Amino acid sequence: MKEIILVKNGELVLKGLNRNSFEDVLIKNMKRHLADIGAFTFTKSQSTIMVEPENEDTDLDDAVDALKKVFGIAALSRAAVCEKDMADIIRTAKEYLEDELLMAKTFKVEAKRSDKKFPFNSPQICRELGGEILKAFHNLKVDVHNPDIIVTVEVRDKYAFVRGNNIKGAGGMPTGTSGRAAVLISGGIDSPVAAYMMAKRGIELISIHFASPPYTSELAEMKVMELLKKVAAYSGTITTYVVPFTGIQEAIRDYCPEDYFTLVMRRIMMQISEAIALKQNCQALITGESVGQVASQTIYALGCTDSATDIPVFRPCIGMDKDEIIAISRKIDTFETSIQPYEDCCTVFTPKHPKTKPKVQDVIDAENKIPNLDEMIKTATENVKRVFIR
């Protein structure tokens, strides 16, 4: 029995005349995710993309698992191909969905008839197939409101397809359709979640990580790379820039008032990140900040941070509490890695009593106490280490 995967592309149907270009990017991303599994043919049809394996031995379980992580897919399902013949549709449905039908207590049948020449209309298809399923599976009852399984028949131009319940996709927009941005990635819980959330809106990611050896260890950097791998499973390759930050942090410690340490550090991070982002054709920065979560994330402190950069700063976690952020981190499998006890540079020289209501000019004055800061920023920007995370 020939099987294919039917992909529903969700909000792309709202893109009007631009829809084809969005679907082309989606197919490109699907091909990338499936490259290690096998060769596939992709056919666009209305709001559905048919993914057909070119080799009968291709593992469709692996293919489905890979496609569940492709942004832009609202839902997907494995489907059996059959002839546009009512008897063949009934036979295929009973054979192909036998296991699911035996395990279910209730079902309903839905039909979509794109080929209007097919002699049965949609209600007739539902009635005929539903009756035959009831005859064959005595454990089942019809429930049109909340069934355990929905048996769907789609009659298209060349073939008919039979499938069971949809599998939820990653949703969002295809990566690469909404521009490019640089995410400031630490080893914590929030920034990988922020990266995932913006990639879900179609943004292509690069990442920037600040390392401060010997205050931060090689294990801390490895932890960050592992987090990025988990995000890259959804977003595709993430080019990562590791910034040498030790000298700047030591200068902040030596020349700035202690209660401004974190604020000055964040501003300098934003300046370095903006310089790298612009060189890499990025239109925005992304951070994992949430209002009020720590002292450097009060509304006053965020204003001081924003004043250090001229490009937009996206903060997708800004209105979320920690439990909400943790829930997403568990969903994308970054939580257990994030809580590994390796220090990142954000925890180096943390002030005992940080400013929670700073004024921008006061922070700038503290920053200006660092001698040769512009040269230090330039040197750090030019000496980044580049790593490709796939």
Side-chain angles (χ1 to χ4, degrees):
M1 187 178 297
K2 182 177 180 180
E3 270 191 288
I4 65 170
I5 300 172
L6 297 177
V7 169
K8 304 295 183 180
N9 54 24
E11 64 182 284
L12 298 193
V13 300
L14 305 176
K15 295 303 176 183
L17 296 177
N18 294 322
R19 178 169 152 186
N20 275 336
S21 62
F22 283 87
E23 289 180 335
D24 288 343
V25 174
L26 175 58
I27 290 173
K28 177 183 175 182
N29 293 344
M30 290 164 64
K31 288 179 178 178
R32 185 179 65 245
H33 278 75
L34 294 172
D36 294 334
I37 297 171
F40 294 82
T41 300
F42 300 82
T43 305
K44 293 188 286 186
S45 178
Q46 298 174 339
S47 61
T48 302
I49 298 173
M50 292 176 280
V51 184
E52 183 177 346
E54 295 181 5
N55 189 321
E56 292 182 0
D57 297 331
T58 300
D59 191 328
L60 285 193
D61 286 334
D62 288 346
V64 168
D65 286 342
L67 291 176
K68 284 194 296 186
K69 293 184 176 181
V70 179
F71 290 128
I73 296 177
L76 65 156
S77 58
R78 292 172 65 158
V81 179
C82 56
E83 296 298 325
K84 292 195 297 182
D85 172 80
M86 200 63 225
D88 196 41
I89 290 171
I90 292 169
R91 178 189 61 78
T92 301
K94 290 193 293 185
E95 290 182 8
Y96 183 62
L97 299 175
E98 181 179 12
D99 290 343
E100 291 94 326
L101 292 170
L102 285 171
M103 292 177 63
K105 293 181 180 179
T106 58
F107 82 106
K108 69 179 285 191
V109 178
E110 293 183 351
K112 300 175 182 179
R113 187 185 62 149
S114 299
D115 180 5
K116 302 305 180 185
K117 295 179 181 179
F118 188 69
F120 294 82
N121 61 28
S122 294
Q124 290 171 331
I125 295 171
C126 294
R127 187 164 55 248
E128 291 290 324
L129 179 55
E132 292 298 324
I133 288 176
L134 283 172
K135 290 179 185 177
F137 299 89
H138 301 294
N139 56 299
L140 288 174
K141 293 182 180 179
V142 175
D143 182 346
V144 298
H145 299 295
N146 189 31
D148 296 331
I149 180 172
I150 300 174
V151 178
T152 301
V153 178
E154 298 189 32
V155 181
R156 296 184 176 268
D157 293 338
K158 293 183 179 180
Y159 301 104
F161 306 107
V162 175
R163 60 180 174 85
N165 290 336
N166 277 330
I167 301 166
K168 185 174 176 59
M173 299 292 295
T175 300
T177 57
S178 300
R180 206 162 191 242
V183 59
L184 281 68
I185 188 87
S186 68
I189 297 170
D190 304 337
S191 53
V193 169
Y196 163 84
M197 292 175 70
M198 295 314 302
K200 185 175 181 178
R201 296 313 306 158
I203 288 180
E204 180 184 352
L205 299 176
I206 71 167
S207 69
I208 300 169
H209 174 65
F210 293 84
S212 293
Y215 307 107
T216 60
S217 68
E218 187 176 344
L219 290 173
E221 188 175 320
M222 291 171 62
K223 170 185 171 181
V224 167
M225 299 308 160
E226 182 61 30
L227 289 169
L228 287 169
K229 283 183 182 179
K230 293 180 181 296
V231 176
Y234 294 88
S235 69
T237 300
I238 301 174
T239 304
T240 301
Y241 298 86
V242 181
V243 180
F245 204 55
T246 306
I248 291 175
Q249 283 203 282
E250 289 177 337
I252 294 171
R253 176 199 62 192
D254 294 341
Y255 293 101
C256 293
E258 183 183 353
D259 50 353
Y260 287 100
F261 280 2
T262 302
L263 292 165
V264 172
M265 179 192 71
R266 294 294 296 174
R267 282 177 55 84
I268 295 172
M269 283 180 169
M270 298 298 275
Q271 293 172 53
I272 293 173
S273 297
E274 180 181 42
I276 295 171
L278 293 175
K279 285 183 180 179
Q280 301 306 318
N281 196 31
C282 294
Q283 291 81 45
L285 300 177
I286 301 167
T287 75
E289 292 160 313
S290 171
V291 167
Q293 189 175 121
V294 293
S296 64
Q297 295 176 23
T298 65
I299 195 168
Y300 307 96
L302 292 174
C304 293
T305 303
D306 277 353
S307 68
T309 178
D310 292 326
I311 63 176
V313 181
F314 296 152
R315 296 181 172 98
C317 302
I318 195 71
M320 301 170 68
D321 63 33
K322 201 66 177 183
D323 287 342
E324 292 171 311
I325 297 171
I326 287 173
I328 297 174
S329 74
R330 291 188 185 279
K331 172 185 172 182
I332 64 176
D333 193 31
T334 57
F335 179 74
E336 294 299 331
T337 303
S338 291
I339 62 174
Q340 291 176 6
Y342 303 123
E343 296 286 331
D344 61 54
C345 69
C346 294
T347 60
V348 176
F349 311 137
T350 302
K352 293 180 180 179
H353 303 289
K355 285 281 186 181
T356 57
K357 294 184 178 181
K359 296 179 180 179
V360 174
Q361 190 57 53
D362 291 341
V363 181
I364 292 173
D365 290 343
E367 183 181 307
N368 287 338
K369 293 180 182 294
I370 303 173
N372 303 315
L373 179 59
D374 289 344
E375 188 62 31
M376 294 174 73
I377 289 175
K378 180 181 178 183
T379 300
T381 304
E382 291 174 347
N383 288 279
V384 296
K385 178 177 69 175
R386 187 168 62 173
V387 183
F388 297 100
I389 304 296
R390 295 178 173 85

